[in-house]
Amino acid sequence: MRLTITMSGREKPVTLPLHYQQQLQGLLYHSLQNPTFAHFLHEVGFRKGKRSFKLFTFSRLFGSHQLNLERKTITFYDEFHWHVGTVLPEVTQELGEYLLLRSDVQIGGQPVEVKRIDVEKREIKSEEIEIEMLSPLTVYSTYETVDGSKKTQFFSPYDEVFSHLVELNFRNKYEAYYGVPPKERLFIEPIRVTEKHKVVTVFKGFYITAWLGYYRLRSSPGNLTFLYRVGIGGRNSQGFGMFRLLFER
């Protein structure tokens, strides 16, 4: 399920840091009013080995805006839109109720007015789709160096291991949620991704390299629907890997 949330500043324009994913994630977690579920999702998640998956994702904010590169801020002067996707009905229900029923919704400490929430329950019917990223796709591998420190290497869509790591991430998320591995493979191919689509983002002090752009995905309709809801690549719950469907083949 997906929510598209339309908001605006309650009294004045909304100004956020350029790297505002943490503020959006905070709003989402804050909306979870069931303490048991909130603790599970934030602290535990769905596990596959040592990996934990939250199984939700969200987009960047879309709307008329102005960047201030000197102050490293972005200001939204009118309505702006936010997309949230998940396979967990508790997330969409509690987030929707929180945003619609409370009068003091804030993003980054600034009051916002929720204009409307649109709900989408899309099922993908095809085995091949073309997509555009709504939040950048990040693919990486973390390893330990000879001195014992950990190093993270990020990969571009044209690296040889990129498609393998995207598929491995998908398989881990799928098995963490359903308890069994997927039967069909996943294939991803960049179809229009250039250097201008590269995005370097800071999340809680950690630099993340990710990519916007256009891609082709092939798998079963059920697998593609799952990815449509939870996102592709890593760090989905930090605002990475959400896409929109351009068309199905």
Side-chain angles (χ1 to χ4, degrees):
M1 184 179 293
R2 283 190 172 191
L3 300 180
T4 297
I5 302 149
T6 301
M7 298 176 277
S8 66
R10 184 171 294 278
E11 301 169 355
K12 58 183 180 179
V14 175
T15 298
L16 299 170
L18 283 178
H19 307 292
Y20 53 72
Q21 290 98 322
Q22 187 175 349
Q23 282 78 9
L24 296 180
Q25 187 195 61
L27 171 60
L28 197 151
Y29 277 128
H30 190 68
S31 75
L32 303 179
Q33 301 299 292
N34 181 325
T36 301
F37 177 70
H39 174 80
F40 166 77
L41 194 62
H42 191 271
E43 303 294 337
V44 182
F46 294 83
R47 294 192 172 271
K48 167 70 186 305
K50 294 181 179 180
R51 297 176 177 85
S52 174
F53 302 98
K54 313 303 184 183
L55 300 181
F56 69 83
T57 189
F58 55 87
S59 72
R60 299 172 295 160
L61 298 176
F62 295 91
S64 177
H65 64 271
Q66 182 176 348
L67 300 177
N68 187 320
L69 298 181
E70 182 179 349
R71 295 185 177 182
K72 297 182 179 180
T73 61
I74 181 171
T75 299
F76 294 91
Y77 290 96
D78 203 347
E79 290 185 352
F80 54 92
H81 310 279
W82 183 38
H83 307 281
V84 178
T86 183
V87 291
L88 307 174
E90 299 93 337
V91 171
T92 49
Q93 179 180 342
E94 294 203 20
L95 177 61
E97 290 179 354
Y98 178 86
L99 294 177
L100 288 175
L101 299 179
R102 295 181 68 95
S103 59
D104 59 344
V105 175
Q106 296 188 358
I107 298 179
Q110 296 170 82
V112 298
E113 179 181 356
V114 179
K115 301 285 190 177
R116 70 177 185 273
I117 298 179
D118 299 306
V119 181
E120 179 191 67
K121 299 179 180 180
R122 184 165 196 163
E123 297 280 346
I124 294 175
K125 306 297 184 183
S126 173
E127 294 182 353
E128 182 176 317
I129 59 175
E130 292 189 6
I131 65 171
E132 178 187 9
M133 301 310 302
L134 294 176
S135 55
L137 163 60
T138 185
V139 176
Y140 59 92
S141 177
T142 302
Y143 57 92
E144 191 171 293
T145 63
V146 291
D147 63 359
S149 61
K150 288 188 176 181
K151 183 177 178 62
T152 299
Q153 180 177 355
F154 295 92
F155 298 96
S156 96
Y158 295 102
D159 285 325
E160 290 185 1
V161 298
F162 182 86
S163 58
H164 166 72
L165 291 177
V166 169
E167 181 182 25
L168 181 61
N169 174 272
F170 153 66
R171 297 184 68 85
N172 286 333
K173 280 188 291 206
Y174 187 100
E175 188 168 352
Y177 183 60
Y178 289 108
V180 295
K183 295 180 179 179
E184 302 85 5
R185 292 197 61 188
L186 170 71
F187 299 91
I188 182 171
E189 174 189 1
I191 55 177
R192 195 158 77 250
V193 183
T194 65
E195 195 66 22
K196 72 177 183 180
H197 292 111
K198 183 178 179 179
V199 178
V200 178
T201 303
V202 182
F203 189 92
K204 295 185 177 180
F206 187 75
Y207 285 86
I208 300 168
T209 301
W211 297 79
L212 297 168
Y214 302 81
Y215 302 80
R216 181 177 295 115
L217 298 179
R218 288 189 291 117
S219 191
S220 70
N223 290 348
L224 296 177
T225 298
F226 176 79
L227 287 171
Y228 183 71
R229 293 172 178 169
V230 304
I232 58 175
R235 299 181 178 269
N236 302 138
S237 65
Q238 296 175 6
F240 294 88
M242 189 177 204
F243 60 86
R244 74 179 182 99
L245 189 62
L246 296 178
F247 59 85
E248 304 183 40
R249 292 188 182 276

